[in-house]
Every structure is written in C-alpha cells, then in structure tokens.
Amino acid sequence: MKSSVIFLRVFLLSFIWLLFTSFFKSHHFKPISVEDNSEVLELNTDGLYYAEFYDYIFRGHFEELDVSRDDMQFLLIFGQYLRAYGGQCANSLPANKVEIMNQTCATEEVTTDGYGIEVSRICVEYVWVGSGLYAKPDLYDAKMEIEGKQRANGLGTMMKMITDPNSMGNSVDMAHKATGLKNDMAKIFKLNECDSPGLKRFEENLKLFALNEPGIRMNEDSKYTTMKKSGGPTGSQNFGKLIDDLVYDQSKTWSFNRYTKGSISGVTTSSRDTEGRPMVLSANYNFSGFSGNSKGSVRITFKNGLPKCIYFYDFPQNCKTPNSSILSSYVEGKYAN
C-alpha cells in the first residue's frame, strides 16, 4: 500500500514537471510601446480560473499576487500562455519569432528481475526537439530565465514535495490547477484579441514580473482588491447556491469524479463574525465516480466575509482557491435572498 502511494506521488509530480519543458535561445526584442498609465486599456478575465492573477499582472500590481516568480505555478502559467498564444495567435507573432522546444527522452534504462520481468524504466538521456509552436523572443527569454532557476533547484524541489506530509494532496491540487489553466487558455484569446493593447500590456508586465522588475502600474485598483477591502455582504444569503456554484466550478478540474450540480444539502454555519457573516460553512454533495453515485462533504472558510478556502473531504488539508468571478458576484449581492 505504502509503495503504491509513493508511486502515485512520483507519477503525479513527474506529470506536473513535464509541463515545464522547453528550450532557451538567446534573442532580444524591443518592448512594446506603452503609456505610463493607460487607464483605457482593458483585459477581460471574467470567468477564468486564474482571473485574479491575470488582472493583477495586467495592472502591474505585483504586490497583490499570491505567487512569486520562483514558484512552479508561475512557470506553469507563463509556459502554457506562450504555447497557447503560439497555437492560437500565430499570425500576430513577429518576424523574429523563436520556436518553443520540448525536452523528450532519447534513451531509457530498463531494469528487469531474475525472471526477465521489467521492474523499472527511467530516462537517462534527453534531447530537445521543436514543438512547432513559436513565441515572442523577449517573452521566451524571460520564461527561460525562470525555467533555468527551476531546473537548477529541481531535485531539491522534487524531494521537498515528495517528503511533504501533504504531498499527495498538493500534487493532486497542482494537477487540478493545470486543468484549470488549460481551460483558461482555450478561452482567453476569445475574450481578448491577440493583438489587443490590453493583451500586450499583460505580456509586458508578465515579462517584467518574471525578470523581477517593477511593473507598468495602473492607478485604478483591481475589482478583486476592492472586493477584498469591502468584504462580503451581510444579511440573508443563499449559501446553498453559493456553495453549489463554488463546488461546480472546482469540479471542472476533477480528473475522474463528476459533481452532481444542484446536489448541495445539509448546509451548516459553525461560526460567524461580529457582523453576522459566516466564518465556516459546511455542506454535503453528490458525485459520480468509479464506484457509481457517492456522497462527499465540503468545508468553506471565510475571511472578511468572503470565501477564502474550499476543503474537500478527501483532501481536508488542501485549500482550494474560490473562483474570483463568483466571489465578485457574491459581493455584488447576486446571492442575496
């Protein structure tokens, strides 16, 4: 049992690590021309999994971000954005575009037991091959600087994740985030044109954040910053509907189970703040999986009257971040009774 758990951990971590593969070529590309504070620029992120992150980058409000430039999560977002742009916005790439490279296994080492049965297979030699996708060279250079730092610390990072008591939950969470990001990349260029000024500003600030340089700031606060400052609403709220929407949004990233929308039941409030807003909500829900129809439970903690963390029964220590767009609707009173 213990060996199977370790195997699953390593498998999940290896899957996530493969998302970061590409190759560095040194190029220089003149940054886009932007005004110091163009408040007329817009970036539509409504409904996206990483909506809050994109908006903070776009506005140059790096201090609001929950991730650092050295986090694997940031590298995942950066790398997948470049690949999505290369696939969906190829006509908007400059003439000096560079190919995104993939690292693939060239030679495997196979170990067998005394009966000739394979017991392990590892890669001992890698090669770089073109992906057929291209990127803007300045963005690719910035992304590869981050990837170089990640690769240098790769073994230490991997061992830290494996030895973490909650490594299984964290690994599954990273896989969920990768799925959420994949869904984002299928939508973002439908919400924003490839050569739009807003997307160009986002890219410029994405590069500046990666290079640990100050962003091009907008004066206007993000609606997510304003939302956190104002806090959640008071008065009677339809918490069953709120939990249903939050769980359904999370379920879009589940690998196997399928959430039964509208199945929230047994909603309880275990504590409230001084304004009467919930601090912890709990509920049950239905889902279908390998074992057929099943029941699960969820616990949601609040900060300043807003959902902060979603904890599911199978990984009760893993904080799932609520969808920012749903929280914005909650603040606007769309769940009031």
Side-chain angles (χ1 to χ4, degrees):
M1 178 65 180
K2 184 176 180 181
S3 61
S4 63
V5 170
I6 294 175
F7 172 78
L8 183 55
R9 288 181 179 178
V10 173
F11 172 79
L12 286 169
L13 293 171
S14 299
F15 166 74
I16 295 165
W17 192 257
L18 288 174
L19 295 172
F20 305 145
T21 57
S22 53
F23 185 66
F24 175 66
K25 291 184 179 181
S26 179
H27 295 273
H28 298 282
F29 181 62
K30 184 178 179 181
I32 60 173
S33 176
V34 293
E35 299 177 18
D36 290 338
N37 192 37
S38 300
E39 302 297 333
V40 295
L41 295 179
E42 292 183 358
L43 184 74
N44 188 351
T45 64
D46 288 345
L48 299 181
Y49 188 85
Y50 282 101
E52 189 173 333
F53 171 87
Y54 304 139
D55 197 57
Y56 287 149
I57 289 288
F58 165 65
R59 295 177 184 279
H61 297 181
F62 299 164
E63 71 281 0
E64 301 288 352
L65 295 169
D66 292 331
V67 299
S68 73
R69 61 190 292 266
D70 298 326
D71 289 345
M72 290 178 63
Q73 187 177 356
F74 173 64
L75 182 58
L76 174 63
I77 295 171
F78 201 169
Q80 293 306 305
Y81 175 82
L82 294 185
R83 290 173 182 271
Y85 192 96
Q88 301 178 56
C89 301
N91 293 334
S92 297
L93 290 169
N96 63 338
K97 62 188 178 183
V98 294
E99 188 171 15
I100 298 172
M101 306 295 284
N102 293 332
Q103 190 179 41
T104 61
C105 185
T107 305
E108 291 183 323
E109 182 179 276
V110 179
T111 302
T112 59
D113 60 18
Y115 298 97
I117 299 175
E118 181 180 324
V119 295
S120 70
R121 179 184 296 264
I122 61 173
C123 187
V124 295
E125 182 183 5
Y126 291 90
V127 294
W128 297 99
V129 297
S131 67
L133 298 173
Y134 292 81
K136 297 176 182 179
D138 61 328
L139 291 176
Y140 195 53
D141 284 3
K143 180 258 183 182
M144 290 311 303
E145 179 172 322
I146 298 298
E147 185 168 311
K149 294 171 68 71
Q150 285 283 353
R151 189 174 289 116
N153 299 326
L155 180 60
T157 300
M158 188 71 72
M159 291 305 300
K160 182 179 179 181
M161 294 175 70
I162 292 175
T163 56
D164 184 346
N166 198 32
S167 61
M168 178 67 76
N170 290 335
S171 300
V172 172
D173 190 45
M174 280 294 291
H176 288 176
K177 289 176 178 177
T179 302
L181 180 60
K182 179 181 178 181
N183 295 337
D184 282 359
M185 294 301 102
K187 299 175 183 176
I188 192 168
F189 302 113
K190 296 178 182 178
L191 297 174
N192 305 276
E193 294 184 4
C194 295
D195 56 355
S196 65
L199 203 60
K200 290 180 180 179
R201 170 64 66 86
F202 169 77
E203 292 180 346
E204 185 68 8
N205 273 341
L206 189 67
K207 179 182 69 176
L208 292 172
F209 180 70
L211 298 176
N212 201 28
E213 297 179 8
I216 304 170
R217 291 186 64 87
M218 286 184 169
N219 290 331
E220 183 182 2
D221 282 342
S222 166
K223 68 178 182 179
Y224 304 115
T225 301
T226 302
M227 172 183 71
K228 291 176 182 178
K229 289 179 180 178
S230 65
T234 57
S236 178
Q237 305 292 323
N238 188 341
F239 293 125
K241 172 61 175 172
L242 175 63
I243 297 173
D244 181 50
D245 286 349
L246 290 172
V247 173
Y248 175 67
D249 178 73
Q250 287 289 321
S251 73
K252 294 176 183 177
T253 68
W254 294 354
S255 300
F256 306 109
N257 297 331
R258 294 293 178 265
Y259 171 62
T260 304
K261 187 165 175 55
S263 64
I264 294 296
S265 63
V267 178
T268 59
T269 305
S270 57
S271 60
R272 295 181 182 271
D273 63 18
T274 56
E275 297 185 46
R277 301 174 302 189
M279 295 180 66
V280 180
L281 287 178
S282 299
N284 301 315
Y285 63 89
N286 298 334
F287 68 93
S288 59
F290 290 127
S291 302
N293 295 328
S294 303
K295 289 186 177 294
S297 61
V298 62
R299 179 172 60 93
I300 302 176
T301 59
F302 286 66
K303 182 178 181 180
N304 194 22
L306 287 172
K308 176 65 176 177
C309 283
I310 303 172
Y311 299 96
F312 290 95
Y313 76 102
D314 47 352
F315 292 105
Q317 302 302 316
N318 271 104
C319 169
K320 310 292 187 184
T321 304
N323 182 294
S324 299
S325 296
I326 295 176
L327 299 194
S328 180
S329 296
Y330 180 54
V331 170
E332 293 169 0
K334 295 182 179 178
Y335 290 88
N337 283 323

